[in-house]
Amino acid sequence: MRIRTVATQLALLASVPLALSQDSVSYDFDTYGVGDDSGTPYQTYQSNAVVQPPEMHINRNGTALADGYIFVGVNGKPTSGQNWPTIFEFSDDIEGSLIWTANYSLPFDFRTQTYKGEPVLTFWSGIVLNGYGRGSFYMLNQSYDEIAHFEVARFGDDMGDAHEFTVTPDDTALVAIYIAVPYDLSAVGGSEDGWLFENTFQEINIETGELVFEWNASTHVGLNESYNALTDVGESEEAPWDYFHINSVAKDKNGDYLVSGRHDARWLNDDMKRITVFDNGPTEDIGYSRGLLLDVNEDDMTVTLVQDFTNEAKTFAQYEGSLRAIDPSNETTNYIIGYGNQPFFTELDYQGNILLDVQFGKTNVVNAYRAFRQPWEGKPSTKPDIHWDKDGNSTYFSWNGATEVASWVVCTANASDSDLWTNVTVARRTGFETTIDLSDVQLERFVRGKAVNSNGTALGWTMASDGDELYDAPDNVSERGSASATPTPSSTSSSSPSGTNEASSTTLSGAAARATHAVMEQAYVVAVVVVGGLAFV
Ligand SMILES: *[C@@H]1O[C@H](CO)[C@@H](O)[C@H](O)[C@H]1NC(C)=O
Ligand SMILES: *[C@@H]1O[C@H](CO)[C@@H](O)[C@H](O)[C@H]1NC(C)=O
Ligand SMILES: *[C@@H]1O[C@H](CO)[C@@H](O)[C@H](O)[C@H]1NC(C)=O
Ligand SMILES: *[C@@H]1O[C@H](CO)[C@@H](O)[C@H](O)[C@H]1NC(C)=O
Ligand SMILES: *[C@@H]1O[C@H](CO)[C@@H](O)[C@H](O)[C@H]1NC(C)=O
Ligand SMILES: *[C@@H]1O[C@H](CO)[C@@H](O)[C@H](O)[C@H]1NC(C)=O
Ligand SMILES: *[C@@H]1O[C@H](CO)[C@@H](O)[C@H](O)[C@H]1NC(C)=O
Ligand SMILES: *[C@@H]1O[C@H](CO)[C@@H](O)[C@H](O)[C@H]1NC(C)=O
Ligand SMILES: *[C@@H]1O[C@H](CO)[C@@H](O)[C@H](O)[C@H]1NC(C)=O
Ligand SMILES: *[C@@H]1O[C@H](CO)[C@@H](O)[C@H](O)[C@H]1NC(C)=O
Ligand SMILES: *[C@@H]1O[C@H](CO)[C@@H](O)[C@H](O)[C@H]1NC(C)=O
């Protein structure tokens, strides 16, 4: 009889979501204001004081979004906040909520790839100089542990450039290097004792660091092919002529490489008939940047436009940027454009219809080299986080990096080291941080949370809070259902304002100011070259 009563109450617990707040998402055009130098808005949380991702401004959120999360390496001026690799959720249910971020400065090319058959996170981190980077390459596993951190081969530490980190099916890495070399530039109107930016790419064995292959632009692409003016550069080692400006390198199924100066060029897939590329533009006819899906005919040596992709504002991104097919095996998949030096990304269908259109910072302040939408399962080795606002009758839960949490169960006990905890309520996860109203709930001295997946399996326990401090608490505890604290629908709406306001009260002061202003990609298009095959400009 008693068991039956408890079970009835638990069924009710599970069916009434008490979660009240959404993460801070703005639909207000005034969110960002104007001006280069003031800080950009960011989100803050009660349960995790460390992470402060940028505020999202959603211009359009449609349906038919692809599965997966949005990956951006947030970057920019010192006032741009946390320039960290960042994963966001934009789904039909939750729009613009943080999934994960961590303290790796100025990340470039942040995304997931497959290494030794396992999903991993990959990115470059280092310092950003005038159009290139000096740094190294990181790989994290699904627990967000570093499983690889490597340098380029032969040229010394921190010589890895920011533009490319692609893992090949052979578990090698494709990376770029910018090296100033003395060079006779007289044939193109420069100094005989001039300086050139050699643009090198390397294929490296990630496990051993061994060099597999190396390629130099100057050996293959004439200096006279450059669209970048040889003006006020090329006279010194400090200011070499950046004639090629390597951006992307990919390896195809035949073992050839697709190399691009200034653009993000990819074969759509192993059919090798279509190329996706981000065209910064603008030309006289087209005054904005766009993504291009191109049909490539290697017999006729012709290229035909299949589809172009732009956001609603028709943003001009002077440098950086990307276009990716979200499921490259399927040409009619959705596509995602990252606007590089401007803080926008857009998901579109194959016909170019905008499905999701997002701004993630103040223009000319925040940027992200590329943007991706990709599937990811994160299983952090950290514990989930709790903040219990005892006077406000609310508890806040989050778990940086966890993708499987469906609900939070609130538990209470009289001792932090108790091995018996009473579950008092449960709420569906609403975003990075879930706020739960505890007004009508009987609590003992300590409160903690249990993260559960969609089938109720425990994924992790928070520490215990007495409202002032956090205490270690065992995870292998027994649980009992509460007879005293069945949530009622009326309590569902009672404290909504406090949670919402706290989550959205972004301050403009205090943004971490560590970034070097990134002036990337001032050069112009040079060439897209398939080594050993097709070449077109
Ligand atoms: C985004 O979606 C939400 C939920 O469906 C809706 O309330 C909101 O109006 C949408 N915003 C825009 C800008 O389309
Ligand atoms: C990020 O890491 C840097 C370098 O280790 C450190 O100085 C800084 O305090 C860290 N920032 C945060 C918010 O943890
Ligand atoms: C991630 O790497 C750490 C350290 O090697 C390991 O303990 C952990 O099990 C790994 N996690 C996953 C999900 O592979
Ligand atoms: C590329 O250029 C660098 C700098 O001049 C040189 O050290 C390296 O040997 C070159 N590599 C190849 C494959 O030519
Ligand atoms: C660059 O020089 C090569 C060799 O002289 C020549 O074949 C080519 O047509 C030139 N390209 C341009 C764009 O002038
Ligand atoms: C390709 O993507 C489109 C758009 O998401 C979808 O409707 C279609 O079913 C997909 N085709 C395959 C074979 O997965
Ligand atoms: C919290 O709950 C207590 C007891 O029900 C009540 O007296 C108090 O006013 C509540 N505080 C807030 C901020 O709602
Ligand atoms: C917790 O402590 C309070 C006050 O001492 C007591 O009334 C209550 O029965 C205790 N609860 C449990 C589960 O031991
Ligand atoms: C419940 O979730 C766990 C962990 O994700 C999974 O291993 C298990 O297969 C799921 N069980 C059911 C019945 O869905
Ligand atoms: C939990 O684990 C600890 C350490 O392994 C053990 O001493 C303790 O008995 C366990 N408690 C329960 C309730 O299983
Ligand atoms: C609460 O504890 C009972 C055991 O008494 C358990 O059967 C139930 O699944 C728990 N509820 C939740 C939401 O975890």
Side-chain angles (χ1 to χ4, degrees):
M1 183 59 191
R2 185 163 175 267
I3 291 169
R4 190 178 294 255
T5 308
V6 170
T8 307
Q9 285 169 342
L10 286 167
L12 186 57
L13 285 180
S15 67
V16 180
L18 276 188
L20 301 165
S21 79
Q22 287 272 350
D23 292 344
S24 172
V25 170
S26 171
Y27 300 98
D28 177 359
F29 275 102
D30 294 330
T31 303
Y32 291 106
V34 291
D36 275 12
D37 297 321
S38 56
T40 193
Y42 56 86
Q43 310 189 44
T44 58
Y45 307 99
Q46 298 292 315
S47 54
N48 185 332
V50 175
V51 301
Q52 298 179 343
E55 179 101 12
M56 296 284 122
H57 173 135
I58 304 174
N59 294 314
R60 196 187 303 181
N61 63 88
T63 53
L65 299 175
D67 290 341
Y69 301 104
I70 302 291
F71 290 70
V72 283
V74 180
N75 223 296
K77 288 189 174 178
T79 50
S80 66
Q82 289 181 333
N83 294 304
W84 292 0
T86 310
I87 308 175
F88 289 104
E89 178 168 8
F90 284 86
S91 62
D92 291 345
D93 297 332
I94 292 179
E95 299 274 355
S97 206
L98 178 68
I99 290 287
W100 177 80
T101 190
N103 190 356
Y104 290 93
S105 70
L106 300 174
F108 270 61
D109 206 16
F110 171 57
R111 52 179 151 145
T112 103
Q113 303 192 70
T114 301
Y115 179 62
K116 295 186 175 172
E118 298 290 329
V120 292
L121 297 179
T122 57
F123 54 93
W124 172 95
S125 174
I127 56 167
V128 178
L129 298 165
N130 190 9
Y132 65 101
R134 291 274 189 252
S136 54
F137 304 90
Y138 291 82
M139 187 182 279
L140 314 185
N141 70 7
Q142 286 178 282
S143 305
Y144 304 95
D145 291 321
E146 248 174 63
I147 55 167
H149 176 200
F150 63 94
E151 307 281 350
V152 297
R154 304 215 295 122
F155 294 103
D157 285 355
D158 290 326
M159 280 298 286
D161 170 57
H163 288 87
E164 186 62 70
F165 176 7
T166 287
V167 179
T168 72
D170 303 325
D171 294 328
T172 58
L174 298 170
V175 299
I177 312 166
Y178 280 59
I179 313 157
V181 293
Y183 212 96
D184 179 356
L185 300 175
S186 56
V188 284
S191 163
E192 203 174 315
D193 303 316
W195 287 83
L196 183 75
F197 246 145
E198 181 61 271
N199 275 188
T200 303
F201 81 75
Q202 293 184 339
E203 180 172 354
I204 298 170
N205 179 320
I206 293 173
E207 191 154 30
T208 63
E210 271 166 50
L211 184 64
V212 176
F213 182 76
E214 185 177 281
W215 180 94
N216 280 345
S218 72
T219 318
H220 300 275
V221 181
L223 303 190
N224 63 344
E225 306 280 347
S226 181
Y227 284 70
N228 195 16
L230 178 49
T231 312
D232 301 327
V233 291
E235 301 283 344
S236 70
E237 187 172 3
E238 290 68 42
W241 183 35
D242 185 11
Y243 95 107
F244 186 79
H245 202 80
I246 194 166
N247 261 58
S248 67
V249 186
K251 194 176 184 181
D252 69 29
K253 65 168 187 219
N254 301 326
D256 291 332
Y257 301 90
L258 179 66
V259 186
S260 168
R262 279 289 270 130
H263 298 300
D264 177 33
R266 308 277 152 188
W267 288 113
L268 179 68
N269 53 41
D270 279 350
D271 293 347
M272 294 171 60
K273 291 193 165 58
R274 299 274 159 97
I275 282 179
T276 54
V277 66
F278 183 78
D279 174 21
N280 292 83
T283 63
E284 274 176 27
D285 296 339
I286 299 161
Y288 48 85
S289 306
R290 57 198 179 140
L292 300 175
L293 175 63
L294 303 171
D295 181 75
V296 178
N297 185 326
E298 292 191 60
D299 298 329
D300 299 351
M301 297 299 274
T302 57
V303 169
T304 316
L305 178 67
V306 178
Q307 185 58 259
D308 63 354
F309 303 94
T310 65
N311 68 359
E312 195 130 7
K314 292 206 165 20
T315 297
F316 168 49
Q318 191 187 354
Y319 46 90
E320 308 181 346
S322 58
L323 171 72
R324 295 300 169 100
I326 291 174
D327 172 9
S329 69
N330 174 9
E331 185 175 331
T332 64
T333 180
N334 291 352
Y335 288 72
I336 181 166
I337 315 173
Y339 275 90
N341 83 307
Q342 295 300 350
F344 300 90
F345 58 81
T346 304
E347 181 174 340
L348 309 98
D349 68 15
Y350 179 63
Q351 281 82 34
N353 299 306
I354 296 166
L355 305 176
L356 175 69
D357 201 17
V358 176
Q359 180 173 357
F360 59 93
K362 192 172 280 192
T363 54
N364 300 311
V365 174
V366 180
N367 62 69
Y369 176 54
R370 289 172 177 163
F372 302 86
R373 183 190 274 282
Q374 298 178 289
W376 175 247
E377 276 181 33
K379 302 165 183 177
S381 52
T382 54
K383 292 171 87 68
D385 292 304
I386 177 174
H387 172 71
W388 180 22
D389 178 1
K390 205 170 168 180
D391 296 335
N393 301 325
S394 297
T395 187
Y396 301 81
F397 296 114
S398 64
W399 198 356
N400 190 22
T403 56
E404 308 302 302
V405 181
S407 301
W408 292 97
V409 181
V410 183
C411 295
T412 190
N414 269 344
S416 59
D417 63 357
S418 174
D419 53 18
L420 178 61
W421 289 76
T422 304
N423 59 28
V424 290
T425 188
V426 60
R428 259 197 336 260
R429 171 184 165 273
T430 57
F432 182 77
E433 180 167 81
T434 300
T435 309
I436 303 176
D437 175 26
L438 298 174
S439 297
D440 296 332
V441 176
Q442 285 288 312
L443 297 169
E444 294 169 20
R445 185 166 161 223
F446 294 91
V447 165
R448 67 192 303 211
K450 182 178 74 164
V452 299
N453 70 9
S454 58
N455 64 27
T457 304
L459 299 171
W461 286 87
T462 70
M463 295 172 81
S465 170
D466 64 0
D468 290 322
E469 285 181 52
L470 296 177
Y471 301 83
D472 286 328
D475 289 357
N476 57 342
V477 295
S478 307
E479 249 180 284
R480 66 171 162 214
S482 156
S484 59
T486 306
T488 58
S490 69
S491 68
T492 302
S493 57
S494 63
S495 83
S496 173
S498 84
T500 305
N501 291 345
E502 275 166 338
S504 62
S505 65
T506 57
T507 45
L508 297 185
S509 60
R514 297 171 312 283
T516 311
H517 177 205
V519 185
M520 295 300 293
E521 331 235 351
Q522 300 289 16
Y524 294 89
V525 58
V526 177
V528 177
V529 181
V530 180
V531 178
L534 165 82
F536 73 93
V537 177

